[in-house]
Amino acid sequence: MTSVQELAKMIDHSILHPTMTDNDLKRECAVAAQYNVASVCVKPYAVKQARQLLENTDVYVGCVIGFPAGNSAIEVKVFEAETACNDGAVEVDMVINIGKALQGDWEYIELEVSSVTKVCHKNGAIVKVIFETDYVADKVDIKKLCEICTKVGADYVKTSSGFGFVKGADGRYSYMGATIENLKLMRENSGPNVKIKAAGGVRTLDGLLAVREVGCTRCGATATVAILEEAKKRFGE
């Protein structure tokens, strides 16, 4: 039987939009505490404040690294991750170097993911590796990334940042985010110790249940209230 609390503990409540202020952070951390989600995922400068806001709760503080485009040097990502850990983050969501993945420079990607994973584990934090599957869309590349993350001991593989906008022929930008097809592919090609996180586009209870069905144990969301209120109606308190 599904419970609302089980579903809440799948959610990483995202507080990442560039326009968000400290007041937005306070409001969204209060939402995270009210619904007792798994974690908040915040911008690097906000880690200390989020840690204080969630001090007496069971909600973890997570932080994004190299976000959203993944372009920082490896040394910068390592420094950023270590700083986040020192500020109180216990979960780190890092974006890979997308261009390096697209050109098949797997040695670089392995060094990057390994370096960030090592510093996070040294500081007691877990690592979620963001592939940005709207850009790195080839199934062979996604499979290779899963194999690398398994090899270096990353804790999660993750589909998207939520900001991987692709320019269409009409000049408009859009993104798909997590797809069931990609999540299945990631589950099939990741080791048993690597978990799967869906991110981008999961905005409904049915969406959350669908990604859980294919093996996700975490899901990034901004529609947390809508999802969990619907869960209360469907499954009871």
Side-chain angles (χ1 to χ4, degrees):
M1 182 177 174
T2 299
S3 75
V4 175
Q5 191 54 61
E6 285 172 354
L7 295 173
K9 286 302 183 185
M10 282 185 65
I11 293 177
D12 292 342
H13 187 57
S14 300
I15 314 174
L16 295 172
H17 197 278
T19 62
M20 282 183 154
T21 65
D22 287 353
N23 284 336
D24 294 320
L25 179 71
K26 291 174 185 175
R27 181 191 68 244
E28 297 304 323
C29 281
V31 167
Q34 177 185 345
Y35 288 91
N36 195 23
V37 298
S39 78
V40 292
C41 197
V42 303
K43 294 174 277 190
Y45 76 87
V47 172
K48 285 183 179 178
Q49 191 176 1
R51 189 76 189 88
Q52 292 170 349
L53 291 167
L54 294 165
E55 190 172 9
N56 297 312
T57 74
D58 294 326
V59 179
Y60 296 132
V61 174
C63 176
V64 290
I65 300 299
F67 194 86
N71 292 326
S72 303
I74 293 173
E75 296 82 1
V76 175
K77 288 182 181 178
V78 168
F79 176 78
E80 194 174 23
E82 187 154 45
T83 300
C85 292
N86 289 337
D87 286 348
V90 294
E91 303 196 348
V92 164
D93 292 41
M94 68 162 286
V95 186
I96 63 164
N97 187 308
I98 295 159
K100 290 289 190 181
L102 291 173
Q103 72 189 55
D105 191 346
W106 303 121
E107 185 177 346
Y108 183 98
I109 295 292
E110 182 173 331
L111 177 61
E112 176 180 67
V113 177
S114 175
S115 298
V116 173
T117 298
K118 283 177 182 174
V119 74
C120 290
H121 286 177
K122 183 186 78 174
N123 286 280
I126 67 168
V127 180
K128 305 170 200 153
V129 182
I130 301 171
F131 295 178
E132 202 63 275
T133 50
D134 277 72
Y135 296 146
V136 185
D138 189 286
K139 289 176 172 47
V140 174
D141 291 342
I142 293 171
K143 180 179 177 181
K144 183 64 177 179
L145 288 170
C146 290
E147 291 169 353
I148 289 171
C149 290
T150 300
K151 179 180 177 182
V152 305
D155 300 282
Y156 281 82
V157 291
K158 175 180 171 183
T159 54
S160 318
S161 67
F163 295 89
F165 293 98
V166 177
K167 189 175 184 179
D170 61 356
R172 295 177 182 271
Y173 287 87
S174 63
Y175 82 103
M176 285 288 294
T179 67
I180 296 300
E181 184 181 16
N182 280 336
L183 292 169
K184 286 180 177 178
L185 183 69
M186 291 163 74
R187 181 63 280 164
E188 289 165 3
N189 290 284
S190 299
N193 295 324
V194 180
K195 299 174 184 177
I196 314 298
K197 177 176 173 179
V202 181
R203 301 185 183 92
T204 65
L205 174 59
D206 286 333
L208 183 63
L209 294 172
V211 301
R212 185 178 70 162
E213 182 68 22
V214 295
C216 293
T217 57
R218 289 286 187 92
C219 180
T222 56
T224 301
V225 174
I227 291 170
L228 294 177
E229 285 299 325
E230 178 61 26
K232 287 180 183 179
K233 293 176 184 176
R234 195 177 302 183
F235 304 117
E237 293 289 340

